[in-house]
Amino acid sequence: MTINWSDIEHKWRNKWDVESLHNTNIDNDKPKFFLTVAYPYPNSPQHIGHGRTYTLTDVYARYKRMLGFNVLFPMAFHYTGTPILAMTKRLAENDPELINAFQDVYNIPMSTIKELDEPIKIAQYFHNEIKQGMIEMGYSIDWRREFTTIDKAYSRFIEWQFKKLNSGGFITRGSHPVGWCPNDGNPVGQHDTLGDVEPDIGEYTIIKFTFEDAKLVTATLRPETIFGVTNLWINPEIEYVKISLNDEKWIVSRDSMNKFEHLVSDKSSLEIISGDSLIGKWTENPFTDMKIQLLPASFVDSKNGTGLVMSVPSHAPYDYQAIVDFTLNLDLLSKYPTIDTNNLVPIDVIKTEKYNNTPARQLVSELSIKNQDDPKLVEATKELYNLEFTSGKMLVIAGDYADLPAKTAKDKVKNDLIQMGIATKLYEIMNSPVICRCGTECVIKMFEDQWFIDYGMSDWKEKAHSSIDSMSLLPNEITVEFHNTIDWLHEKACARNSGLGTILPWDNDWIIESLSDSVIYMAYYTISRLIKEKNLDSSKLSEEFFDYVLLGIGECNSVANTTGIDKTTVDELRSEFLYFYPLDSRHSGRDLVPNHLTFFVFNHSAIFPKNHWPQQIVVNGSVLMDGKKMSKSFGNIIPLRQAVKTYGADPIRLGIMSAAELLQDADFSLELVKSFNERLNRIYTVVQEIKNAPDYDVNQANSIEKWMLSRLQRTINVTTDSMNKLRVRESLHHIIYLLDIDLLWYNRRTTISTEEKNSFLKYFFETRIKLLAPFAPYFSEEIWEILGHDKSITLETWPTSDDNLIDENTELSEELIKNTIEDINNILKVTKIQIQRICIYIPANWKWEIFLSALQKDSFNLKDLIETSLNNPDYSEFKKHIPKFCQSIFKEISNMDSYTKSRILKIGQLNENQILQELQSFYKLQNNIQVDLFSEDDSDLYDPKNRSIYSRPMRPAIFLE
RNA sequence: GCGGGGGUAGCCCAGCCCGGUCAAAGGCGUAGGAUUUAGGCUCCUAUCACUUAGGUGUUCGUGGGUUCAAAUCCCACCUCCCGCACCA
């Protein structure tokens, strides 16, 4: 009889539902436990990978419930954002890639896909899919509190959050560069580009060199090298233009002009200049006043930067090589006779340990670079840049900047140049061309007047640090990552101009983006149920309302009056919040540590008082499928609902939970799921056989039953310990595998009647099934019922160990038996002999005495041990065996850990004769082999090979024949 | 570059914080056996090498070091993975 998963899943889901087992209300008799998991973004159905975080949270919820907590586990859906928008567009365009994925991977019928023609429909469709999946997985969620982030009431809540942030001074406004698609009129991120390329935005410093009535505008990544400029580079082959800006005229390459278009004041005054005509002319370094000339170079790219390059031959391999090329090229020299090559001596600006002078020259020769068009120059440039950036120091020539690390000087010089009006910034896509999915090449756009949440504020950072320090983090190793994140976080753009979401309350052109409207919503769960049930009009949910309910500001009566919500409801809302807050545990994947989870900590510390800051964060790794990352292109995505249908929810839950410890990536495999299915079926079968057995009285336990009970208590202890740290893999390991191994041993060793054994097993499985209940809820309910209980196992309490049932003596005795069998097997293996008889020789008392006395000493040496033993008159007749024996136990004891020592000492001398007698029936039953036990000092000893003298405490001597 | 996490037997994965019970748990796989009409399931045995007496040797990325003792502590190196945002 095998388990029909679908049947029992329906049965129990229905029962949970009817009894509202997962709906949580205020209960002042119980401690509360409020936990949440990052709500899903409904742009695809869930797959196995998504299941990990949610399952873990549910396991924890169920565990905490069994510990007696009033557990609230709610769920909502995150509609905010732009990907669904993009998806709508792709569907409208019949994007084959997306449609294939929907059809082939997720089995969405074409007719349904056709209906998904609006963002909201897509969101609702997947919302429902995901929700069904969660229900089918058996998550113990209080669905009454469900909401979406575009619900009107939720939007009011987010408005309130932003008003709080704004009045608290956490919002700033400014400009920042973004990758931009000029066609779509939207910022582009990695998922918006062909090949999923992240636009790499680099910051050039633009340095202006005065030239006649205009400025020659160069772009550099290394402003600190301005002290080493010997000339400028012009590509004679390309066209330059003179453009009018506010009060300046700039000369830049024609191809780069579009980068400055927004700055150009007078579009009519454009003047085209050929590159060639500039060569040989003079300008001066605006910072050092040194006179320099304009030289020709072919490596200058008209599209890169401004198409003009300041030449620093000492530190830029390109520049160095171009000068070499020029001075060796007789044609050029004669073509531009006004150029004075004496001015082109490299000037060192930065020193490193690796190079003593003109590092570019050394590098060029090391790499045997031939000319300025040699591709190896890219590598050379990169290498020198990195070296000098990380370990370079400014030389005396840098004046005020001398001795500064190059890294520091870079920013200082840049800022000073800007301050002096000599320089400005230019942002550029360094890995261009980056192509938008629509086919247009992306550019950089300065996003003007963008709204930011300023995570860079130092006093706010301090609060966030202290919040992290005051909470529990699971696993603890993740702590440092949080602190690091807090340290390097700065302004985060918090609004966009497209997508679903809440409109920024003070600037209606903006929509609050998704990582900013998802940071304190846990608080909203506490009140969402009542808002829905009382059907509160969102217009009534004013700032004052939330101030009172969430922060206790103001006074109930006046809030009721001004909002028009009745007083008892306001009161109830406030109580509900106060009962459930703070959040006791927040769960998410580790990919959200550097963003969402840290924002969550920040925002709580900004808005809520300290006693409502989060208490715990739990972070888990991701899921691999048979060792590979899950992805549509590998075709290894398994939709969760489909998997539940095929394999059953509980085997999948166990498969996901047992695959890896918290922070590790879990290697999921269907093989594992199948093997769990088999194991559960085995338990199911056994339980069917023993269900009617009478209750077992543990106090009557004897022999191996006693041992099994002891093992069970230990399993309870270690499992509870692991559960508290959410080391679920370890817990399952003990509950499933190790306990099974013990059970197998028990079955081999037990001698009681079948009837008695069944009642013992019934007792055993009742406890074991409780340990399993958080992991495999459907199965556990079913077994629990079969065992004759009519209440849900959800309502049971987590087992605690009974210390009276822990029996060191029995455990040690059993170890002696196992070790002896192992020794016998070892001998058999080596000798490959067939035996009829086993002789076991138990050590004499004097050996135990010496052994125990040696154990008692903190430290001892062999010599003392032998001497004192030899001097003991009681042992005089064994004198000749003492040295050898001492030697053997010396080695054993000095390699023994303190736990084993103390265990043996606690119990003292074992009655080995009695214990090992068990082997007689054991071998009789198994192989019909006779076992004879002797004491080493027996007078009628049968010991043809003289083995008995080798016997040691806990290690009898053996003779086989 | 900055930050984080890994490298353990055929594979996956524990152990490392707190050194000794570690030739190293458990799972999977593989081989032999039992059961079965057969297969599956289940059970037993084996699974680094050598070994006709419970032993020995060599192993935990590499190389050093500390220690009576190192998978575990320290140092250096090699190597793989992930994040660095305005996007969920």
Side-chain angles (χ1 to χ4, degrees), chain A residues 257-275:
Chain A
M257 190 177 70
N258 64 327
K259 297 172 192 168
F260 308 101
E261 239 161 6
H262 60 288
L263 298 173
V264 174
S265 50
D266 180 3
K267 305 220 167 169
S268 61
S269 70
L270 187 120
E271 185 187 324
I272 294 177
I273 306 168
S274 79

Side-chain angles (χ1 to χ4, degrees), chain A residues 524-634:
Chain A
Y524 190 77
Y525 282 127
T526 66
I527 55 174
S528 65
R529 189 196 106 235
L530 277 169
I531 288 177
K532 286 203 291 189
E533 286 176 3
K534 304 268 179 179
N535 209 7
L536 297 184
D537 194 302
S538 66
S539 65
K540 293 178 178 170
L541 307 178
S542 61
E543 189 173 0
E544 203 187 358
F545 167 82
F546 287 111
D547 272 352
Y548 178 73
V549 172
L550 303 178
L551 296 177
I553 296 173
E555 193 254 322
C556 188
N557 280 323
S558 86
V559 172
N561 284 338
T562 50
T563 59
I565 302 169
D566 69 89
K567 188 170 166 285
T568 43
T569 303
V570 176
D571 215 35
E572 236 181 299
L573 284 159
R574 175 72 180 150
S575 316
E576 189 114 331
F577 172 76
L578 282 178
Y579 178 77
F580 286 113
Y581 239 58
L583 182 67
D584 296 291
S585 193
R586 174 73 180 161
H587 295 245
S588 134
R590 76 178 306 178
D591 52 328
L592 298 189
V593 170
N595 43 67
H596 164 75
L597 285 173
T598 307
F599 298 156
F600 151 78
V601 171
F602 263 105
N603 279 271
H604 270 82
S605 74
I607 291 170
F608 292 101
K610 206 164 183 165
N611 61 325
H612 283 159
W613 291 0
Q615 302 295 296
Q616 175 171 279
I617 292 176
V618 179
V619 177
N620 60 263
S622 60
V623 180
L624 303 175
M625 186 71 204
D626 291 323
K628 285 198 211 99
K629 209 175 158 170
M630 280 189 213
S631 84
K632 285 178 203 136
S633 57
F634 285 135

Side-chain angles (χ1 to χ4, degrees), chain A residues 80-95:
Chain A
T80 313
T82 54
I84 290 178
L85 234 57
M87 190 175 265
T88 320
K89 214 172 148 192
R90 286 173 72 189
L91 282 181
E93 290 162 0
N94 283 318
D95 182 325

Side-chain angles (χ1 to χ4, degrees), chain A residues 101-274:
Chain A
F102 277 10
Q103 281 191 295
D104 302 343
V105 180
Y106 294 119
N107 293 319
I108 305 173
M110 199 58 208
S111 56
T112 308
I113 297 177
K114 286 268 182 270
E115 284 166 21
L116 303 177
D117 55 358
E118 281 175 49
I120 192 80
K121 286 186 189 164
I122 294 183
Q124 281 165 348
Y125 176 76
F126 290 123
H127 170 161
N128 189 47
E129 275 291 307
I130 295 168
K131 181 176 174 180
Q132 285 312 314
M134 289 176 166
I135 291 171
E136 285 160 10
M137 281 291 281
Y139 298 156
S140 53
I141 293 167
D142 181 351
W143 287 107
R144 299 171 305 165
R145 296 168 190 269
E146 176 188 4
F147 59 85
T148 85
T149 59
I150 59 167
D151 292 357
K152 280 192 181 135
Y154 185 80
S155 277
R156 299 309 310 267
F157 168 69
I158 295 302
E159 283 170 25
W160 173 80
Q161 174 200 343
F162 269 74
K163 285 177 190 163
K164 290 292 117 184
L165 289 176
N166 201 15
S167 63
F170 299 102
I171 303 286
T172 58
R173 198 170 201 196
S175 305
H176 76 117
V178 292
W180 180 266
C181 172
N183 183 38
D184 293 349
N186 250 332
V188 286
Q190 188 178 336
H191 53 271
D192 301 315
T193 62
L194 286 184
D196 282 345
V197 185
E198 176 87 40
D200 178 13
I201 299 174
E203 183 191 291
Y204 280 108
T205 303
I206 282 192
I207 301 179
K208 298 179 281 186
F209 292 75
T210 305
F211 179 74
E212 298 165 356
D213 65 331
K215 305 283 182 187
L216 289 164
V217 179
T218 63
T220 179
L221 291 167
R222 306 188 61 188
E224 77 279 13
T225 61
I226 192 164
F227 304 98
V229 175
T230 59
N231 60 290
L232 298 189
W233 296 115
I234 300 283
N235 189 332
E237 308 285 323
I238 65 174
E239 280 183 344
Y240 290 83
V241 290
K242 194 189 276 185
I243 49 177
S244 295
L245 282 77
N246 294 334
D247 48 4
E248 283 181 341
K249 291 195 163 91
W250 283 13
I251 296 172
V252 297
S253 72
R254 190 172 183 171
D255 287 340
S256 70
M257 190 177 70
N258 64 327
K259 297 172 192 168
F260 308 101
E261 239 161 6
H262 60 288
L263 298 173
V264 174
S265 50
D266 180 3
K267 305 220 167 169
S268 61
S269 70
L270 187 120
E271 185 187 324
I272 294 177
I273 306 168
S274 79

Side-chain angles (χ1 to χ4, degrees), chain A residues 368-386:
Chain A
S368 40
I369 283 162
K370 290 186 268 315
N371 58 48
Q372 62 188 290
D373 300 314
D374 193 324
K376 276 184 283 190
L377 278 167
V378 177
E379 183 196 328
T381 303
K382 207 170 160 185
E383 187 178 330
L384 190 55
Y385 181 99
N386 277 340

